[in-house]
Amino acid sequence: MRLPGRLSAAIAVLTDVETRKRPVSEALKAWGINNRFAGAGDRAAIGNLVYDALRRRASHAAIMADDSPRALVLAVAVRDWGHDPAALNDSFATDDHAPEPLSADELARITGQLPDDSAGHILADVPEWLAPSLTRAFGDSWIAEGQAMAARPSLDLRTNTLKSQRERVLKSLARFNAVPTAISPVGVTMPAGSGDARTPNVTTDEGYLKGWFEVQDQGSQIVAALAGASPGEQLLDFCAGAGGKTLALAAAMANKGQIFAYDSDRSRLAPIYDRLKRNGAHNVQVRAPLPDALDDLVGKMDRVIIDAPCTGTGTWRRRPDTKWKLSPELLAQRVAEQAAILAHARRFLKPGGTLIYITCSILPEENDDQVAAFLAANPDFASLDPQSLWQAAFGAEAPAGVATAGAGIALTPRLTGTDGFYLNALRRNP
């Protein structure tokens, strides 16, 4: 397919997303099934157009004075991918699969600039109602944080130290120009490409099949390291999901001690079994979501890890469609769920144990506010110093800006080059 046909396809996919209210991944898959003539490069380019349109939806719509799929996709082609609008129009005239030519108004707008006095949420490419929350979280830097969250993410991998070393993984993936991550000592990264660049399919690599590495954002690797798990400990991963952090914890513990992996949703937990086998993680006991599944663990755990269900605002680079679906009602629902999980999970800690609260959110309602409410209701807990946690995990001072007012650690694309994550370590009195 040539560029005009790819643009038309991206407009069609984005229209499908908006009219049928379904995830981008589903709409792209459906388009691919219905258009089997399209090659892998075509599908990647179309996906990039759609995701880029959603990442900067607010600013592109403001420039174009139009938030239609057509306006957004054309804005990406010119403003993000650098195509000349006049040359685009010329190519449209000779391609039966092209969109309608750009109008005089579109041509005038598409190369314009946002006024300096544009609303902050437009400059930041975030929903307007979230501006107060982001201001509380980041102060005067909130617009820059939003802009960083509107960029493409890298592809990050975690070396499975139970089976391999980072140098071996880097050598295995040399054809993808893989490099070490900046913070995680076991991470490997492939920076995002531009335009129609394809993301490497590393899951077909020999190293992945042998269990040498897992796909895991560097931010997730960092919070797993900050959890401080040590060989020989008894640990409960209370919201284990598919097991990404469980596997990182098992490697950090060198397969010594015991991890109990639990999740209230059986379908989320299902992939963990194959992943444990491939990774050679032998100190993990999966507990199915039954009424009495964890009764024998009450008061016995050295650490309880809560990777809490959240709004996922920290993953907006990867799932930009969720940015525009988030509502105050959904945020309130997640906050209530987190409070209930914290209240329940604390029971499993022994005296002197540590509760590790993690979200993939950048919103204070789910992070510092949630921890403050927990501490007010549980005076036998206290937050550990974030600088000391970072020093213990990485042997260096924490990057500027990551320590929060509530003694938490906040990772963001702008501050750490990662997805957005939050961690607070809460020690129970002996």
Side-chain angles (χ1 to χ4, degrees), residues 44-403:
I46 294 163
N48 286 347
L49 286 165
V50 172
Y51 280 112
D52 284 350
L54 291 168
R55 289 184 179 107
R56 299 182 60 195
R57 178 177 180 172
S59 59
H60 284 325
I63 284 285
M64 300 296 288
D66 181 6
D67 66 353
S68 69
R70 169 187 165 87
L72 297 177
V73 169
L74 292 178
V76 169
V78 174
R79 303 182 62 79
D80 295 347
W81 291 25
H83 290 286
D84 178 75
L88 273 184
N89 255 4
D90 289 342
S91 68
F92 290 177
T94 59
D95 194 315
D96 293 339
H97 302 289
E100 290 293 319
L102 281 78
S103 67
D105 182 62
E106 288 174 327
L107 286 168
R109 289 183 175 278
I110 205 165
T111 56
Q113 298 295 323
L114 286 172
D116 292 338
D117 61 351
S118 295
H121 73 279
I122 292 175
L123 296 173
D125 273 296
V126 299
E128 183 175 6
W129 69 274
L130 284 176
S133 292
L134 295 173
T135 301
R136 278 208 298 130
F138 303 112
D140 293 340
S141 299
W142 77 274
I143 292 175
E145 292 286 354
Q147 290 169 342
M149 194 67 78
R152 288 187 187 178
S154 58
L155 174 62
D156 298 342
L157 315 173
R158 178 188 59 80
T159 303
N160 175 22
T161 54
L162 297 175
K163 285 192 171 185
S164 191
Q165 300 82 39
R166 180 156 69 174
E167 287 306 314
R168 178 189 286 179
V169 173
L170 288 167
K171 184 177 180 180
S172 176
L173 300 174
R175 65 191 184 281
F176 297 131
N177 299 314
V179 296
T181 47
I183 298 173
S184 170
V186 295
V188 170
T189 186
M190 283 144 277
S194 59
D196 60 1
R198 295 170 61 181
T199 301
N201 182 12
V202 297
T203 58
T204 61
D205 184 80
E206 178 187 24
Y208 177 81
L209 299 175
K210 289 183 175 180
W212 292 356
F213 62 83
E214 284 286 321
V215 177
Q216 186 176 27
D217 179 76
Q218 185 186 190
S220 183
Q221 298 177 44
I222 291 170
V223 294
L226 290 168
S230 299
E233 288 187 331
Q234 298 291 301
L235 187 150
L236 171 61
D237 190 355
F238 192 67
C239 303
K245 292 184 183 65
T246 308
L247 295 170
L249 295 166
M253 295 169 68
N255 262 339
K256 298 175 182 178
Q258 187 73 59
I259 299 173
F260 299 92
Y262 172 84
D263 199 283
S264 61
D265 187 326
R266 193 180 297 269
S267 62
R268 282 201 302 263
L269 197 60
I272 197 172
Y273 298 96
D274 287 340
R275 298 181 77 184
L276 290 171
K277 183 177 180 180
R278 188 177 69 249
N279 278 256
H282 305 309
N283 66 330
V284 179
Q285 184 181 134
V286 181
R287 294 289 181 93
L290 300 172
D292 59 350
L294 303 177
D295 287 356
D296 60 321
L297 306 184
V298 173
K300 296 180 179 179
M301 296 294 101
D302 295 295
R303 296 178 194 274
V304 174
I305 313 294
I306 300 175
D307 187 4
C310 67
T311 56
T313 50
T315 64
W316 277 346
R317 296 186 304 168
R318 302 179 192 280
R319 301 182 60 201
D321 50 331
T322 63
K323 175 160 54 173
W324 310 109
K325 294 177 182 178
L326 183 59
S327 67
E329 293 76 19
L330 180 57
L331 173 57
Q333 178 183 334
R334 291 290 179 262
V335 168
E337 291 171 351
Q338 292 155 6
I341 288 171
L342 278 164
H344 183 60
R346 69 175 298 282
R347 302 183 307 118
F348 301 104
L349 273 177
K350 68 181 185 182
T354 306
L355 184 65
I356 307 293
Y357 177 69
I358 299 169
T359 73
C360 54
S361 174
I362 58 174
L363 302 180
E365 291 88 343
E366 301 181 275
N367 297 338
D368 274 358
D369 292 358
Q370 190 68 264
V371 170
F374 176 81
L375 291 175
N378 298 274
D380 56 331
F381 281 78
S383 292
L384 299 179
D385 175 56
Q387 293 289 350
S388 298
L389 285 175
W390 195 281
Q391 182 71 36
F394 304 113
E397 292 187 3
V402 302

Side-chain angles (χ1 to χ4, degrees), residues 404-416:
T404 71
I409 293 175
L411 313 178
T412 69
R414 176 174 171 268
L415 294 173
T416 52

